[in-house]
PDB file of all heavy atoms in Angstrom:
ATOM      1  N   LYS Z   1       8.811  24.731   0.691  1.00  0.00           N
ATOM      2  CA  LYS Z   1       7.777  24.088  -0.111  1.00  0.00           C
ATOM      3  C   LYS Z   1       8.221  22.711  -0.554  1.00  0.00           C
ATOM      4  O   LYS Z   1       7.402  21.851  -0.863  1.00  0.00           O
ATOM      5  CB  LYS Z   1       7.469  24.974  -1.332  1.00  0.00           C
ATOM      6  CG  LYS Z   1       6.790  26.283  -0.958  1.00  0.00           C
ATOM      7  CD  LYS Z   1       6.432  27.099  -2.191  1.00  0.00           C
ATOM      8  CE  LYS Z   1       5.688  28.369  -1.781  1.00  0.00           C
ATOM      9  NZ  LYS Z   1       5.285  29.187  -2.956  1.00  0.00           N
ATOM     10  N   ARG Z   2       9.525  22.480  -0.639  1.00  0.00           N
ATOM     11  CA  ARG Z   2      10.046  21.199  -1.116  1.00  0.00           C
ATOM     12  C   ARG Z   2      10.108  20.144  -0.021  1.00  0.00           C
ATOM     13  O   ARG Z   2      10.195  18.961  -0.300  1.00  0.00           O
ATOM     14  CB  ARG Z   2      11.467  21.385  -1.680  1.00  0.00           C
ATOM     15  CG  ARG Z   2      11.520  22.294  -2.906  1.00  0.00           C
ATOM     16  CD  ARG Z   2      11.062  21.556  -4.124  1.00  0.00           C
ATOM     17  NE  ARG Z   2      10.981  22.415  -5.298  1.00  0.00           N
ATOM     18  CZ  ARG Z   2      10.437  22.066  -6.430  1.00  0.00           C
ATOM     19  NH1 ARG Z   2       9.864  20.872  -6.538  1.00  0.00           N
ATOM     20  NH2 ARG Z   2      10.403  22.881  -7.454  1.00  0.00           N
ATOM     21  N   ASP Z   3      10.065  20.579   1.233  1.00  0.00           N
ATOM     22  CA  ASP Z   3      10.282  19.634   2.345  1.00  0.00           C
ATOM     23  C   ASP Z   3       9.151  18.618   2.475  1.00  0.00           C
ATOM     24  O   ASP Z   3       9.366  17.468   2.817  1.00  0.00           O
ATOM     25  CB  ASP Z   3      10.411  20.389   3.671  1.00  0.00           C
ATOM     26  CG  ASP Z   3      11.748  21.100   3.787  1.00  0.00           C
ATOM     27  OD1 ASP Z   3      12.731  20.570   3.257  1.00  0.00           O
ATOM     28  OD2 ASP Z   3      11.792  22.195   4.363  1.00  0.00           O
ATOM     29  N   GLY Z   4       7.918  19.064   2.206  1.00  0.00           N
ATOM     30  CA  GLY Z   4       6.768  18.230   2.480  1.00  0.00           C
ATOM     31  C   GLY Z   4       6.724  16.910   1.768  1.00  0.00           C
ATOM     32  O   GLY Z   4       6.836  15.842   2.374  1.00  0.00           O
ATOM     33  N   ASP Z   5       6.572  16.955   0.424  1.00  0.00           N
ATOM     34  CA  ASP Z   5       6.473  15.716  -0.316  1.00  0.00           C
ATOM     35  C   ASP Z   5       7.751  14.897  -0.215  1.00  0.00           C
ATOM     36  O   ASP Z   5       7.735  13.672  -0.249  1.00  0.00           O
ATOM     37  CB  ASP Z   5       6.109  16.003  -1.784  1.00  0.00           C
ATOM     38  CG  ASP Z   5       4.659  16.442  -1.934  1.00  0.00           C
ATOM     39  OD1 ASP Z   5       3.843  16.020  -1.090  1.00  0.00           O
ATOM     40  OD2 ASP Z   5       4.348  17.196  -2.849  1.00  0.00           O
ATOM     41  N   LYS Z   6       8.885  15.602  -0.028  1.00  0.00           N
ATOM     42  CA  LYS Z   6      10.181  14.914   0.111  1.00  0.00           C
ATOM     43  C   LYS Z   6      10.204  14.096   1.404  1.00  0.00           C
ATOM     44  O   LYS Z   6      10.742  12.994   1.447  1.00  0.00           O
ATOM     45  CB  LYS Z   6      11.303  15.952   0.113  1.00  0.00           C
ATOM     46  CG  LYS Z   6      12.699  15.386   0.131  1.00  0.00           C
ATOM     47  CD  LYS Z   6      13.735  16.462  -0.100  1.00  0.00           C
ATOM     48  CE  LYS Z   6      13.821  17.390   1.085  1.00  0.00           C
ATOM     49  NZ  LYS Z   6      14.889  18.425   0.934  1.00  0.00           N
ATOM     50  N   LEU Z   7       9.612  14.647   2.469  1.00  0.00           N
ATOM     51  CA  LEU Z   7       9.626  13.982   3.769  1.00  0.00           C
ATOM     52  C   LEU Z   7       8.318  13.258   4.088  1.00  0.00           C
ATOM     53  O   LEU Z   7       8.171  12.637   5.146  1.00  0.00           O
ATOM     54  CB  LEU Z   7       9.927  15.014   4.876  1.00  0.00           C
ATOM     55  CG  LEU Z   7      11.294  15.686   4.796  1.00  0.00           C
ATOM     56  CD1 LEU Z   7      11.424  16.777   5.847  1.00  0.00           C
ATOM     57  CD2 LEU Z   7      12.422  14.658   4.981  1.00  0.00           C
ATOM     58  N   GLY Z   8       7.336  13.355   3.154  1.00  0.00           N
ATOM     59  CA  GLY Z   8       6.130  12.548   3.322  1.00  0.00           C
ATOM     60  C   GLY Z   8       4.976  13.200   4.041  1.00  0.00           C
ATOM     61  O   GLY Z   8       4.150  12.512   4.657  1.00  0.00           O
ATOM     62  N   PHE Z   9       4.893  14.538   4.033  1.00  0.00           N
ATOM     63  CA  PHE Z   9       3.742  15.212   4.625  1.00  0.00           C
ATOM     64  C   PHE Z   9       3.437  16.462   3.802  1.00  0.00           C
ATOM     65  O   PHE Z   9       4.317  17.018   3.131  1.00  0.00           O
ATOM     66  CB  PHE Z   9       4.005  15.583   6.091  1.00  0.00           C
ATOM     67  CG  PHE Z   9       5.217  16.486   6.296  1.00  0.00           C
ATOM     68  CD1 PHE Z   9       5.091  17.872   6.224  1.00  0.00           C
ATOM     69  CD2 PHE Z   9       6.452  15.950   6.545  1.00  0.00           C
ATOM     70  CE1 PHE Z   9       6.191  18.684   6.389  1.00  0.00           C
ATOM     71  CE2 PHE Z   9       7.566  16.758   6.707  1.00  0.00           C
ATOM     72  CZ  PHE Z   9       7.432  18.129   6.650  1.00  0.00           C
ATOM     73  N   PRO Z  10       2.211  16.957   3.841  1.00  0.00           N
ATOM     74  CA  PRO Z  10       1.870  18.142   3.044  1.00  0.00           C
ATOM     75  C   PRO Z  10       2.438  19.425   3.673  1.00  0.00           C
ATOM     76  O   PRO Z  10       2.629  19.493   4.876  1.00  0.00           O
ATOM     77  CB  PRO Z  10       0.341  18.184   3.085  1.00  0.00           C
ATOM     78  CG  PRO Z  10      -0.101  16.892   3.709  1.00  0.00           C
ATOM     79  CD  PRO Z  10       1.039  16.397   4.522  1.00  0.00           C
ATOM     80  N   VAL Z  11       2.702  20.405   2.817  1.00  0.00           N
ATOM     81  CA  VAL Z  11       3.029  21.744   3.313  1.00  0.00           C
ATOM     82  C   VAL Z  11       2.077  22.774   2.701  1.00  0.00           C
ATOM     83  O   VAL Z  11       2.260  23.969   2.827  1.00  0.00           O
ATOM     84  CB  VAL Z  11       4.482  22.162   3.016  1.00  0.00           C
ATOM     85  CG1 VAL Z  11       5.460  21.332   3.805  1.00  0.00           C
ATOM     86  CG2 VAL Z  11       4.803  22.065   1.528  1.00  0.00           C
ATOM     87  N   PHE Z  12       1.007  22.279   2.071  1.00  0.00           N
ATOM     88  CA  PHE Z  12      -0.009  23.139   1.487  1.00  0.00           C
ATOM     89  C   PHE Z  12      -1.373  22.729   2.020  1.00  0.00           C
ATOM     90  O   PHE Z  12      -1.589  21.545   2.318  1.00  0.00           O
ATOM     91  CB  PHE Z  12      -0.020  23.021  -0.040  1.00  0.00           C
ATOM     92  CG  PHE Z  12       1.300  23.383  -0.683  1.00  0.00           C
ATOM     93  CD1 PHE Z  12       2.023  22.421  -1.388  1.00  0.00           C
ATOM     94  CD2 PHE Z  12       1.807  24.661  -0.564  1.00  0.00           C
ATOM     95  CE1 PHE Z  12       3.236  22.745  -1.963  1.00  0.00           C
ATOM     96  CE2 PHE Z  12       3.027  24.989  -1.136  1.00  0.00           C
ATOM     97  CZ  PHE Z  12       3.736  24.047  -1.854  1.00  0.00           C
ATOM     98  N   PRO Z  13      -2.323  23.645   2.132  1.00  0.00           N
ATOM     99  CA  PRO Z  13      -3.647  23.271   2.679  1.00  0.00           C
ATOM    100  C   PRO Z  13      -4.437  22.385   1.719  1.00  0.00           C
ATOM    101  O   PRO Z  13      -5.154  21.486   2.157  1.00  0.00           O
ATOM    102  CB  PRO Z  13      -4.350  24.620   2.870  1.00  0.00           C
ATOM    103  CG  PRO Z  13      -3.604  25.596   2.005  1.00  0.00           C
ATOM    104  CD  PRO Z  13      -2.193  25.099   1.949  1.00  0.00           C
ATOM    105  N   LEU Z  14      -4.294  22.615   0.390  1.00  0.00           N
ATOM    106  CA  LEU Z  14      -5.053  21.865  -0.612  1.00  0.00           C
ATOM    107  C   LEU Z  14      -4.084  21.321  -1.654  1.00  0.00           C
ATOM    108  O   LEU Z  14      -2.975  21.846  -1.834  1.00  0.00           O
ATOM    109  CB  LEU Z  14      -6.079  22.772  -1.325  1.00  0.00           C
ATOM    110  CG  LEU Z  14      -6.870  23.773  -0.499  1.00  0.00           C
ATOM    111  CD1 LEU Z  14      -7.740  24.634  -1.422  1.00  0.00           C
ATOM    112  CD2 LEU Z  14      -7.736  23.051   0.518  1.00  0.00           C
ATOM    113  N   ASN Z  15      -4.499  20.298  -2.363  1.00  0.00           N
ATOM    114  CA  ASN Z  15      -3.709  19.797  -3.489  1.00  0.00           C
ATOM    115  C   ASN Z  15      -3.449  20.929  -4.480  1.00  0.00           C
ATOM    116  O   ASN Z  15      -4.279  21.806  -4.680  1.00  0.00           O
ATOM    117  CB  ASN Z  15      -4.417  18.662  -4.207  1.00  0.00           C
ATOM    118  CG  ASN Z  15      -4.223  17.313  -3.535  1.00  0.00           C
ATOM    119  OD1 ASN Z  15      -3.512  17.218  -2.524  1.00  0.00           O
ATOM    120  ND2 ASN Z  15      -4.829  16.292  -4.079  1.00  0.00           N
ATOM    121  N   TRP Z  16      -2.293  20.843  -5.126  1.00  0.00           N
ATOM    122  CA  TRP Z  16      -1.943  21.874  -6.128  1.00  0.00           C
ATOM    123  C   TRP Z  16      -1.235  21.197  -7.299  1.00  0.00           C
ATOM    124  O   TRP Z  16      -0.345  20.370  -7.088  1.00  0.00           O
ATOM    125  CB  TRP Z  16      -1.032  22.930  -5.522  1.00  0.00           C
ATOM    126  CG  TRP Z  16      -0.435  23.875  -6.524  1.00  0.00           C
ATOM    127  CD1 TRP Z  16       0.827  23.837  -7.037  1.00  0.00           C
ATOM    128  CD2 TRP Z  16      -1.066  25.019  -7.120  1.00  0.00           C
ATOM    129  NE1 TRP Z  16       1.041  24.879  -7.902  1.00  0.00           N
ATOM    130  CE2 TRP Z  16      -0.121  25.618  -7.982  1.00  0.00           C
ATOM    131  CE3 TRP Z  16      -2.325  25.579  -7.002  1.00  0.00           C
ATOM    132  CZ2 TRP Z  16      -0.406  26.774  -8.722  1.00  0.00           C
ATOM    133  CZ3 TRP Z  16      -2.617  26.726  -7.746  1.00  0.00           C
ATOM    134  CH2 TRP Z  16      -1.667  27.302  -8.592  1.00  0.00           C
ATOM    135  N   ILE Z  17      -1.647  21.556  -8.522  1.00  0.00           N
ATOM    136  CA  ILE Z  17      -0.941  21.117  -9.710  1.00  0.00           C
ATOM    137  C   ILE Z  17      -0.434  22.365 -10.417  1.00  0.00           C
ATOM    138  O   ILE Z  17      -1.220  23.242 -10.802  1.00  0.00           O
ATOM    139  CB  ILE Z  17      -1.842  20.297 -10.660  1.00  0.00           C
ATOM    140  CG1 ILE Z  17      -2.325  19.036  -9.950  1.00  0.00           C
ATOM    141  CG2 ILE Z  17      -1.121  19.939 -11.948  1.00  0.00           C
ATOM    142  CD1 ILE Z  17      -3.286  18.173 -10.748  1.00  0.00           C
ATOM    143  N   ASP Z  18       0.858  22.459 -10.571  1.00  0.00           N
ATOM    144  CA  ASP Z  18       1.443  23.636 -11.211  1.00  0.00           C
ATOM    145  C   ASP Z  18       0.970  23.722 -12.641  1.00  0.00           C
ATOM    146  O   ASP Z  18       1.135  22.773 -13.411  1.00  0.00           O
ATOM    147  CB  ASP Z  18       2.969  23.546 -11.155  1.00  0.00           C
ATOM    148  CG  ASP Z  18       3.636  24.847 -11.597  1.00  0.00           C
ATOM    149  OD1 ASP Z  18       3.643  25.096 -12.818  1.00  0.00           O
ATOM    150  OD2 ASP Z  18       4.112  25.590 -10.743  1.00  0.00           O
ATOM    151  N   PRO Z  19       0.332  24.843 -13.036  1.00  0.00           N
ATOM    152  CA  PRO Z  19      -0.209  24.933 -14.378  1.00  0.00           C
ATOM    153  C   PRO Z  19       0.839  24.976 -15.488  1.00  0.00           C
ATOM    154  O   PRO Z  19       0.522  24.760 -16.657  1.00  0.00           O
ATOM    155  CB  PRO Z  19      -0.999  26.258 -14.344  1.00  0.00           C
ATOM    156  CG  PRO Z  19      -0.366  27.053 -13.252  1.00  0.00           C
ATOM    157  CD  PRO Z  19       0.104  26.063 -12.240  1.00  0.00           C
ATOM    158  N   ILE Z  20       2.084  25.227 -15.119  1.00  0.00           N
ATOM    159  CA  ILE Z  20       3.148  25.318 -16.131  1.00  0.00           C
ATOM    160  C   ILE Z  20       3.931  24.015 -16.197  1.00  0.00           C
ATOM    161  O   ILE Z  20       4.065  23.400 -17.254  1.00  0.00           O
ATOM    162  CB  ILE Z  20       4.085  26.490 -15.802  1.00  0.00           C
ATOM    163  CG1 ILE Z  20       3.297  27.802 -15.841  1.00  0.00           C
ATOM    164  CG2 ILE Z  20       5.261  26.540 -16.814  1.00  0.00           C
ATOM    165  CD1 ILE Z  20       4.018  28.990 -15.251  1.00  0.00           C
ATOM    166  N   SER Z  21       4.433  23.543 -15.050  1.00  0.00           N
ATOM    167  CA  SER Z  21       5.255  22.329 -15.046  1.00  0.00           C
ATOM    168  C   SER Z  21       4.441  21.037 -14.926  1.00  0.00           C
ATOM    169  O   SER Z  21       4.918  19.971 -15.261  1.00  0.00           O
ATOM    170  CB  SER Z  21       6.258  22.381 -13.892  1.00  0.00           C
ATOM    171  OG  SER Z  21       5.583  22.300 -12.648  1.00  0.00           O
ATOM    172  N   GLY Z  22       3.191  21.169 -14.433  1.00  0.00           N
ATOM    173  CA  GLY Z  22       2.381  19.974 -14.193  1.00  0.00           C
ATOM    174  C   GLY Z  22       2.749  19.241 -12.918  1.00  0.00           C
ATOM    175  O   GLY Z  22       2.159  18.225 -12.580  1.00  0.00           O
ATOM    176  N   GLU Z  23       3.719  19.796 -12.158  1.00  0.00           N
ATOM    177  CA  GLU Z  23       4.158  19.158 -10.896  1.00  0.00           C
ATOM    178  C   GLU Z  23       3.016  19.206  -9.875  1.00  0.00           C
ATOM    179  O   GLU Z  23       2.375  20.244  -9.681  1.00  0.00           O
ATOM    180  CB  GLU Z  23       5.379  19.894 -10.350  1.00  0.00           C
ATOM    181  CG  GLU Z  23       5.934  19.292  -9.080  1.00  0.00           C
ATOM    182  CD  GLU Z  23       7.117  20.072  -8.531  1.00  0.00           C
ATOM    183  OE1 GLU Z  23       7.455  21.134  -9.112  1.00  0.00           O
ATOM    184  OE2 GLU Z  23       7.691  19.642  -7.528  1.00  0.00           O
ATOM    185  N   ALA Z  24       2.772  18.070  -9.225  1.00  0.00           N
ATOM    186  CA  ALA Z  24       1.685  17.963  -8.265  1.00  0.00           C
ATOM    187  C   ALA Z  24       2.241  18.011  -6.838  1.00  0.00           C
ATOM    188  O   ALA Z  24       3.281  17.409  -6.542  1.00  0.00           O
ATOM    189  CB  ALA Z  24       0.908  16.678  -8.490  1.00  0.00           C
ATOM    190  N   SER Z  25       1.549  18.724  -5.966  1.00  0.00           N
ATOM    191  CA  SER Z  25       1.894  18.779  -4.549  1.00  0.00           C
ATOM    192  C   SER Z  25       0.662  18.444  -3.734  1.00  0.00           C
ATOM    193  O   SER Z  25      -0.438  18.876  -4.058  1.00  0.00           O
ATOM    194  CB  SER Z  25       2.392  20.181  -4.168  1.00  0.00           C
ATOM    195  OG  SER Z  25       3.546  20.538  -4.923  1.00  0.00           O
ATOM    196  N   SER Z  26       0.856  17.689  -2.670  1.00  0.00           N
ATOM    197  CA  SER Z  26      -0.288  17.222  -1.865  1.00  0.00           C
ATOM    198  C   SER Z  26      -0.732  18.271  -0.863  1.00  0.00           C
ATOM    199  O   SER Z  26       0.040  19.126  -0.447  1.00  0.00           O
ATOM    200  CB  SER Z  26       0.075  15.934  -1.134  1.00  0.00           C
ATOM    201  OG  SER Z  26       1.160  16.145  -0.255  1.00  0.00           O
ATOM    202  N   GLY Z  27      -2.022  18.202  -0.509  1.00  0.00           N
ATOM    203  CA  GLY Z  27      -2.599  19.143   0.443  1.00  0.00           C
ATOM    204  C   GLY Z  27      -3.218  18.440   1.628  1.00  0.00           C
ATOM    205  O   GLY Z  27      -3.539  17.253   1.577  1.00  0.00           O
ATOM    206  N   TYR Z  28      -3.381  19.176   2.713  1.00  0.00           N
ATOM    207  CA  TYR Z  28      -3.939  18.601   3.933  1.00  0.00           C
ATOM    208  C   TYR Z  28      -5.375  18.112   3.740  1.00  0.00           C
ATOM    209  O   TYR Z  28      -5.758  17.076   4.275  1.00  0.00           O
ATOM    210  CB  TYR Z  28      -3.867  19.610   5.082  1.00  0.00           C
ATOM    211  CG  TYR Z  28      -2.532  19.601   5.744  1.00  0.00           C
ATOM    212  CD1 TYR Z  28      -1.511  20.464   5.313  1.00  0.00           C
ATOM    213  CD2 TYR Z  28      -2.219  18.686   6.758  1.00  0.00           C
ATOM    214  CE1 TYR Z  28      -0.251  20.429   5.885  1.00  0.00           C
ATOM    215  CE2 TYR Z  28      -0.972  18.653   7.339  1.00  0.00           C
ATOM    216  CZ  TYR Z  28       0.020  19.505   6.887  1.00  0.00           C
ATOM    217  OH  TYR Z  28       1.259  19.451   7.468  1.00  0.00           O
ATOM    218  N   ARG Z  29      -6.163  18.859   2.993  1.00  0.00           N
ATOM    219  CA  ARG Z  29      -7.557  18.465   2.802  1.00  0.00           C
ATOM    220  C   ARG Z  29      -7.631  17.090   2.120  1.00  0.00           C
ATOM    221  O   ARG Z  29      -8.355  16.198   2.618  1.00  0.00           O
ATOM    222  CB  ARG Z  29      -8.280  19.505   1.940  1.00  0.00           C
ATOM    223  CG  ARG Z  29      -9.756  19.154   1.697  1.00  0.00           C
ATOM    224  CD  ARG Z  29     -10.468  20.237   0.894  1.00  0.00           C
ATOM    225  NE  ARG Z  29      -9.938  20.365  -0.467  1.00  0.00           N
ATOM    226  CZ  ARG Z  29     -10.359  21.278  -1.330  1.00  0.00           C
ATOM    227  NH1 ARG Z  29     -11.283  22.175  -0.973  1.00  0.00           N
ATOM    228  NH2 ARG Z  29      -9.861  21.331  -2.562  1.00  0.00           N
ATOM    229  N   GLU Z  30      -6.898  16.922   1.029  1.00  0.00           N
ATOM    230  CA  GLU Z  30      -6.988  15.669   0.287  1.00  0.00           C
ATOM    231  C   GLU Z  30      -6.302  14.519   1.005  1.00  0.00           C
ATOM    232  O   GLU Z  30      -6.596  13.346   0.721  1.00  0.00           O
ATOM    233  CB  GLU Z  30      -6.383  15.869  -1.113  1.00  0.00           C
ATOM    234  CG  GLU Z  30      -7.227  16.755  -2.031  1.00  0.00           C
ATOM    235  CD  GLU Z  30      -7.084  18.252  -1.727  1.00  0.00           C
ATOM    236  OE1 GLU Z  30      -6.223  18.639  -0.914  1.00  0.00           O
ATOM    237  OE2 GLU Z  30      -7.877  19.029  -2.292  1.00  0.00           O
ATOM    238  N   LYS Z  31      -5.399  14.816   1.918  1.00  0.00           N
ATOM    239  CA  LYS Z  31      -4.736  13.771   2.716  1.00  0.00           C
ATOM    240  C   LYS Z  31      -5.646  13.259   3.844  1.00  0.00           C
ATOM    241  O   LYS Z  31      -5.298  12.328   4.547  1.00  0.00           O
ATOM    242  CB  LYS Z  31      -3.425  14.280   3.310  1.00  0.00           C
ATOM    243  CG  LYS Z  31      -2.267  14.352   2.320  1.00  0.00           C
ATOM    244  CD  LYS Z  31      -1.714  12.980   2.008  1.00  0.00           C
ATOM    245  CE  LYS Z  31      -0.435  13.069   1.201  1.00  0.00           C
ATOM    246  NZ  LYS Z  31       0.113  11.742   0.877  1.00  0.00           N
ATOM    247  N   GLY Z  32      -6.802  13.929   4.029  1.00  0.00           N
ATOM    248  CA  GLY Z  32      -7.739  13.461   5.044  1.00  0.00           C
ATOM    249  C   GLY Z  32      -7.687  14.205   6.352  1.00  0.00           C
ATOM    250  O   GLY Z  32      -8.306  13.799   7.340  1.00  0.00           O
ATOM    251  N   PHE Z  33      -6.954  15.333   6.386  1.00  0.00           N
ATOM    252  CA  PHE Z  33      -6.926  16.141   7.609  1.00  0.00           C
ATOM    253  C   PHE Z  33      -8.184  17.004   7.659  1.00  0.00           C
ATOM    254  O   PHE Z  33      -8.695  17.454   6.629  1.00  0.00           O
ATOM    255  CB  PHE Z  33      -5.696  17.047   7.621  1.00  0.00           C
ATOM    256  CG  PHE Z  33      -4.411  16.349   7.953  1.00  0.00           C
ATOM    257  CD1 PHE Z  33      -3.678  15.685   6.970  1.00  0.00           C
ATOM    258  CD2 PHE Z  33      -3.904  16.351   9.243  1.00  0.00           C
ATOM    259  CE1 PHE Z  33      -2.479  15.050   7.265  1.00  0.00           C
ATOM    260  CE2 PHE Z  33      -2.715  15.711   9.548  1.00  0.00           C
ATOM    261  CZ  PHE Z  33      -2.008  15.038   8.557  1.00  0.00           C
ATOM    262  N   TYR Z  34      -8.649  17.264   8.872  1.00  0.00           N
ATOM    263  CA  TYR Z  34      -9.783  18.145   9.060  1.00  0.00           C
ATOM    264  C   TYR Z  34      -9.277  19.581   9.198  1.00  0.00           C
ATOM    265  O   TYR Z  34      -8.181  19.817   9.692  1.00  0.00           O
ATOM    266  CB  TYR Z  34     -10.567  17.737  10.314  1.00  0.00           C
ATOM    267  CG  TYR Z  34     -11.236  16.414  10.142  1.00  0.00           C
ATOM    268  CD1 TYR Z  34     -10.677  15.253  10.697  1.00  0.00           C
ATOM    269  CD2 TYR Z  34     -12.398  16.270   9.381  1.00  0.00           C
ATOM    270  CE1 TYR Z  34     -11.270  14.002  10.525  1.00  0.00           C
ATOM    271  CE2 TYR Z  34     -12.992  15.026   9.191  1.00  0.00           C
ATOM    272  CZ  TYR Z  34     -12.424  13.918   9.749  1.00  0.00           C
ATOM    273  OH  TYR Z  34     -13.000  12.682   9.550  1.00  0.00           O
ATOM    274  N   PRO Z  35     -10.088  20.552   8.760  1.00  0.00           N
ATOM    275  CA  PRO Z  35      -9.640  21.946   8.901  1.00  0.00           C
ATOM    276  C   PRO Z  35      -9.365  22.310  10.348  1.00  0.00           C
ATOM    277  O   PRO Z  35      -8.430  23.070  10.650  1.00  0.00           O
ATOM    278  CB  PRO Z  35     -10.803  22.758   8.318  1.00  0.00           C
ATOM    279  CG  PRO Z  35     -11.978  21.819   8.192  1.00  0.00           C
ATOM    280  CD  PRO Z  35     -11.387  20.456   8.065  1.00  0.00           C
ATOM    281  N   GLU Z  36     -10.168  21.754  11.286  1.00  0.00           N
ATOM    282  CA  GLU Z  36      -9.931  22.014  12.706  1.00  0.00           C
ATOM    283  C   GLU Z  36      -8.542  21.539  13.133  1.00  0.00           C
ATOM    284  O   GLU Z  36      -7.895  22.175  13.987  1.00  0.00           O
ATOM    285  CB  GLU Z  36     -10.983  21.303  13.570  1.00  0.00           C
ATOM    286  CG  GLU Z  36     -12.407  21.727  13.294  1.00  0.00           C
ATOM    287  CD  GLU Z  36     -13.117  20.847  12.269  1.00  0.00           C
ATOM    288  OE1 GLU Z  36     -12.421  20.262  11.398  1.00  0.00           O
ATOM    289  OE2 GLU Z  36     -14.355  20.743  12.340  1.00  0.00           O
ATOM    290  N   THR Z  37      -8.099  20.420  12.557  1.00  0.00           N
ATOM    291  CA  THR Z  37      -6.761  19.907  12.857  1.00  0.00           C
ATOM    292  C   THR Z  37      -5.700  20.900  12.446  1.00  0.00           C
ATOM    293  O   THR Z  37      -4.785  21.229  13.207  1.00  0.00           O
ATOM    294  CB  THR Z  37      -6.522  18.592  12.092  1.00  0.00           C
ATOM    295  OG1 THR Z  37      -7.469  17.615  12.507  1.00  0.00           O
ATOM    296  CG2 THR Z  37      -5.125  18.067  12.342  1.00  0.00           C
ATOM    297  N   VAL Z  38      -5.817  21.368  11.209  1.00  0.00           N
ATOM    298  CA  VAL Z  38      -4.797  22.269  10.664  1.00  0.00           C
ATOM    299  C   VAL Z  38      -4.727  23.565  11.470  1.00  0.00           C
ATOM    300  O   VAL Z  38      -3.646  24.037  11.840  1.00  0.00           O
ATOM    301  CB  VAL Z  38      -5.090  22.567   9.164  1.00  0.00           C
ATOM    302  CG1 VAL Z  38      -4.028  23.516   8.608  1.00  0.00           C
ATOM    303  CG2 VAL Z  38      -5.098  21.262   8.364  1.00  0.00           C
TER     304      VAL Z  38
END
């Protein structure tokens, strides 16, 4: 889970904000990828 944002690509399908830490992780949908691509 840590590799994506560290290396500059998503590892989650959708954006996620951790409700406890507030840490944000990027998702394929919000990065502009199409579901067919994924």
Side-chain angles (χ1 to χ4, degrees):
K1 293 183 177 181
R2 296 283 175 190
D3 288 326
D5 286 333
K6 185 171 69 176
L7 297 174
F9 58 88
V11 292
F12 302 117
L14 318 176
N15 278 358
W16 170 259
I17 298 177
D18 190 284
I20 299 167
S21 67
E23 182 182 4
S25 300
S26 61
Y28 277 92
R29 180 177 65 183
E30 290 77 9
K31 283 285 189 180
F33 284 84
Y34 293 101
E36 299 93 332
T37 299
V38 179

